[in-house]
Amino acid sequence: MLKQILSKLPRKLSKPDQVDSAGSDSGNITANSGNGFQCTNVGSALSSKLNVVKRVSSAVFPTSIAAGVEAVEAHLSFKDVSNSQKQNLFVSKLNLCCEVHEFSDPDKQDLKRQALIELVDFVSSGSAKFSEPAIAAVCKMCAVNLFRIFPPKYRSNSAGGEAEDEEPMFDPAWSHLQIVYDLLLRFISYGSLDAKVAKKYVDHSFIVRLLDLFDSEDPRERDCLKTILHRIYGKFMVHRPFIRKAVSNIIYRFVLETERHNGIAELLEIFGSVISGFALPLKEEHKMFLWRALIPLHKPKSIGIYHQPLTYCVVQFIDKDPKLASVVIKGLLKYWPVTNSQKELMFISELEEVLEMTGMVEFQKIMVPLFRRIGCLLNSSHYQVAERAHLLWNNEHILNLISHNRQVIVPLVFSALERNAQNHWNQAVLNLTLNLRRMFYEMDEELAIACQRKLEEEDSRLSMAAEKRRLTWERLENAAALQPFAESEPGFYLH
């Protein structure tokens, strides 16, 4: 009877069970105290006691995810394990690559590099199956290796970003970073990746840290980031509004505060294709991005670095909604440079592209301030600016807009042409001016003659006013010459 009672009592745990239980409990504490991206050494402590197959510590992933996942010794090759163990080996190698080594330890670096190359090959072969533990491990490994704080910029260029005449700076760790970026890109682009599961790890925090990397001075890194962010935008529809808002904040900070950022061009290249996919009619949020982000980007001095993708984004908006053309032109006039001739040339080129897509109604809204500015450009002492402004009339669409509104436009620029014909120093600009004036006479001779007559009358009036001022000053000088100087009275001092 006593033996039957004792047999029902629970037995003591064996030593291996105690080890497993202790590891699981410690993993639960670690997982509950942080998120899936916290690196711990529980799994490595257990792996030193086991040979090939071991229980992965739940400290690497949340306990609910890690349950039942077995990891293979990370130093083994995928060829040396069975198909059933390859996925576990994949996770083990990802955990191994979470260790960050110094440049002074080349052996460990080579070992990690080899593991990364094997991971990329395994994903490229299509054999990988991205379960939730694998997704968490990939995101953690990428976060540990890629997300970092850049050192302060000591560039001489005060405008920020890479100047066009400066040599790019290359990251000495690029040979390692490139493999991690390649793995991240293949992971995001993987056909069977479950976006609903992956979005829990490729979350807002992950995306913000990824966007911070666009300030890298290495153009190779920014090019990889551009491709990856574009794939994330396409894969995770739920994150699209957040990505647009986060990029807008980067642009606001660049325009309004720092004017220093290396990745504005790459971000605009991404948004060029994003804008082309906007549904019609455009949402108010998208229009605000144009008004508050893209148009103010014309202000910084370093616009030459990103002007081409900026122009493409602006043109894409007008292609979606032609009514935005007048808004864009008003923005260009607001930020039009006065003393920077190279910037003026870029603005004229962009203006021509915008005018090519502008309809008659939108053109008439802005034609008066626009051609007042063009009149100043025609008179520019910088021959390239003046020459480029004259060549606007070679565009058939722009010429058609001008000819339909010639009663307003010709009087605005006719005086500029006359001043050029009399005073401009450059012969090429002078020839263009004479050709343009001849075009106005052919377009509407009566209007051109009226403008010529009005200009002569204005010149005559100005000459008469100048002569009147001269005579007035002459009379004052004569009267002052006839008036004797008054002698100073005793005790009177001038201070």
Side-chain angles (χ1 to χ4, degrees):
M1 186 69 175
L2 181 61
K3 291 181 180 180
Q4 293 178 357
I5 295 172
L6 292 175
S7 64
K8 294 181 180 180
L9 293 176
R11 296 181 180 179
K12 290 184 180 180
L13 293 172
S14 61
K15 287 185 179 180
D17 292 333
Q18 289 175 348
V19 172
D20 288 344
S21 176
S24 177
D25 290 341
S26 64
N28 290 337
I29 295 170
T30 308
N32 292 333
S33 63
N35 54 30
F37 296 100
Q38 299 295 326
C39 289
T40 62
N41 57 2
V42 179
S44 59
L46 293 175
S47 65
S48 63
K49 299 180 181 180
L50 304 177
N51 294 324
V52 178
V53 180
K54 65 180 180 178
R55 179 74 58 181
V56 176
S57 169
S58 57
V60 177
F61 310 109
T63 308
S64 60
I65 298 175
V69 177
E70 291 185 348
V72 180
E73 180 62 41
H75 300 294
L76 293 176
S77 171
F78 283 102
K79 298 178 182 178
D80 298 334
V81 297
S82 62
N83 291 333
S84 61
Q85 292 181 337
K86 284 184 178 180
Q87 302 303 322
N88 299 330
L89 177 59
F90 179 66
V91 174
S92 296
K93 287 185 178 291
L94 287 169
N95 293 333
L96 173 67
C97 293
C98 285
E99 299 176 9
V100 179
H101 305 292
E102 299 294 334
F103 284 104
S104 58
D105 195 348
D107 293 336
K108 289 185 177 179
Q109 277 201 339
D110 291 342
L111 185 65
K112 180 177 177 180
R113 178 182 172 81
Q114 184 60 38
L116 286 170
I117 292 174
E118 290 179 6
L119 288 170
V120 172
D121 292 341
F122 182 66
V123 175
S124 302
S125 68
S127 303
K129 295 178 181 178
F130 285 104
S131 59
E132 188 164 353
I135 292 172
V138 169
C139 293
K140 182 184 72 172
M141 189 276 292
C142 292
V144 168
N145 287 277
L146 299 178
F147 299 161
R148 61 205 190 278
I149 303 298
F150 294 116
K153 301 180 179 66
Y154 296 104
R155 294 268 186 167
S156 60
N157 177 26
S158 60
E162 289 180 2
E164 294 173 289
D165 56 346
E166 282 186 335
E167 289 293 328
M169 296 182 66
F170 298 109
D171 195 316
W174 175 246
S175 59
H176 163 76
L177 294 172
Q178 184 181 18
I179 307 173
V180 182
Y181 276 120
D182 191 15
L183 179 60
L184 179 58
L185 176 60
R186 294 177 186 277
F187 162 69
I188 297 295
S189 306
Y190 208 72
S192 61
L193 178 65
D194 189 348
K196 292 181 180 180
V197 177
K199 72 179 181 181
K200 293 193 295 185
Y201 302 95
V202 184
D203 56 2
H204 289 180
S205 176
F206 188 92
I207 292 170
V208 167
R209 298 293 300 278
L210 199 69
L211 286 170
D212 289 341
L213 296 177
F214 274 90
D215 203 19
S216 169
E217 296 196 11
D218 193 328
R220 301 169 300 181
E221 181 169 14
R222 299 198 303 270
D223 193 57
C224 285
L225 286 164
K226 176 181 66 175
T227 306
I228 290 169
L229 184 63
H230 191 228
R231 297 290 174 84
I232 291 176
Y233 189 91
K235 190 93 171 182
F236 302 95
M237 295 184 65
V238 68
H239 290 330
R240 290 182 181 182
F242 177 80
I243 293 174
R244 292 195 296 267
K245 183 178 179 180
V247 172
S248 297
N249 291 338
I250 292 174
I251 294 175
Y252 296 153
R253 181 175 175 82
F254 171 71
V255 172
L256 302 175
E257 295 181 14
T258 63
E259 290 198 7
R260 299 185 67 91
H261 198 283
N262 294 307
I264 297 297
E266 286 78 11
L267 291 172
L268 290 174
E269 287 176 19
I270 296 170
F271 267 74
S273 59
V274 168
I275 294 166
S276 64
F278 284 164
L280 295 176
L282 288 176
K283 296 179 181 178
E284 194 66 21
E285 170 206 345
H286 300 154
K287 294 180 182 179
M288 295 298 286
F289 179 74
L290 171 66
W291 299 331
R292 294 184 178 179
L294 295 184
I295 291 178
L297 274 174
H298 291 84
K299 180 182 177 182
K301 297 177 182 178
S302 55
I303 185 176
I305 300 171
Y306 57 82
H307 183 255
Q308 186 175 352
L310 174 61
T311 300
Y312 182 76
C313 288
V314 170
V315 169
Q316 287 296 309
F317 263 109
I318 299 173
D319 185 49
K320 288 287 181 180
D321 187 355
K323 292 181 180 179
L324 295 173
S326 59
V327 176
V328 170
I329 294 174
K330 286 178 183 177
L332 288 174
L333 295 176
K334 178 181 179 180
Y335 295 107
W336 199 278
V338 177
T339 58
N340 189 332
S341 300
Q342 293 303 315
K343 198 172 174 182
E344 278 191 297
L345 290 171
M346 288 186 280
F347 271 55
I348 296 172
S349 297
E350 183 176 355
L351 177 64
E352 183 173 7
E353 288 194 46
V354 172
L355 286 174
E356 284 182 349
M357 306 182 69
T358 304
M360 189 65 67
V361 176
E362 297 303 315
F363 177 77
Q364 290 173 347
K365 293 179 182 178
I366 45 81
M367 63 183 177
V368 173
L370 172 61
F371 278 88
R372 282 177 182 159
R373 170 57 60 187
I374 291 177
C376 297
L377 298 174
L378 294 172
N379 280 143
S380 176
S381 57
H382 194 288
Y383 79 96
Q384 289 180 325
V385 173
E387 188 176 48
R388 188 67 183 83
H390 281 81
L391 294 177
L392 288 174
W393 271 263
N394 289 351
N395 188 294
E396 292 185 9
H397 181 71
I398 297 175
L399 182 59
N400 181 58
L401 294 173
I402 293 172
S403 114
H404 279 83
N405 299 278
R406 58 184 179 274
Q407 297 293 334
V408 177
I409 294 173
V410 172
L412 293 173
V413 299
F414 198 87
S415 59
L417 296 176
E418 287 300 316
R419 285 193 295 272
N420 269 4
Q422 297 172 9
N423 303 317
H424 207 283
W425 64 272
N426 186 270
Q427 187 61 43
V429 173
L430 183 60
N431 292 337
L432 289 171
T433 295
L434 297 177
N435 291 336
L436 189 54
R437 190 171 63 173
R438 189 182 308 114
M439 181 189 298
F440 284 157
Y441 275 95
E442 294 173 355
M443 184 184 298
D444 192 332
E445 184 176 1
E446 184 178 346
L447 176 61
I449 292 173
C451 291
Q452 180 72 36
R453 188 182 304 113
K454 184 177 180 180
L455 185 61
E456 291 173 355
E457 292 174 357
E458 182 68 18
D459 288 343
S460 177
R461 187 182 65 79
L462 292 175
S463 298
M464 291 175 63
E467 181 65 18
K468 186 177 180 180
R469 285 195 301 271
R470 188 187 68 79
L471 292 175
T472 301
W473 279 106
E474 188 176 342
R475 286 197 301 271
L476 288 172
E477 290 171 359
N478 292 336
L482 295 175
Q483 188 74 19
F485 288 102
E487 296 182 2
S488 300
E489 297 181 2
F492 181 77
Y493 298 95
L494 296 174
H495 296 282

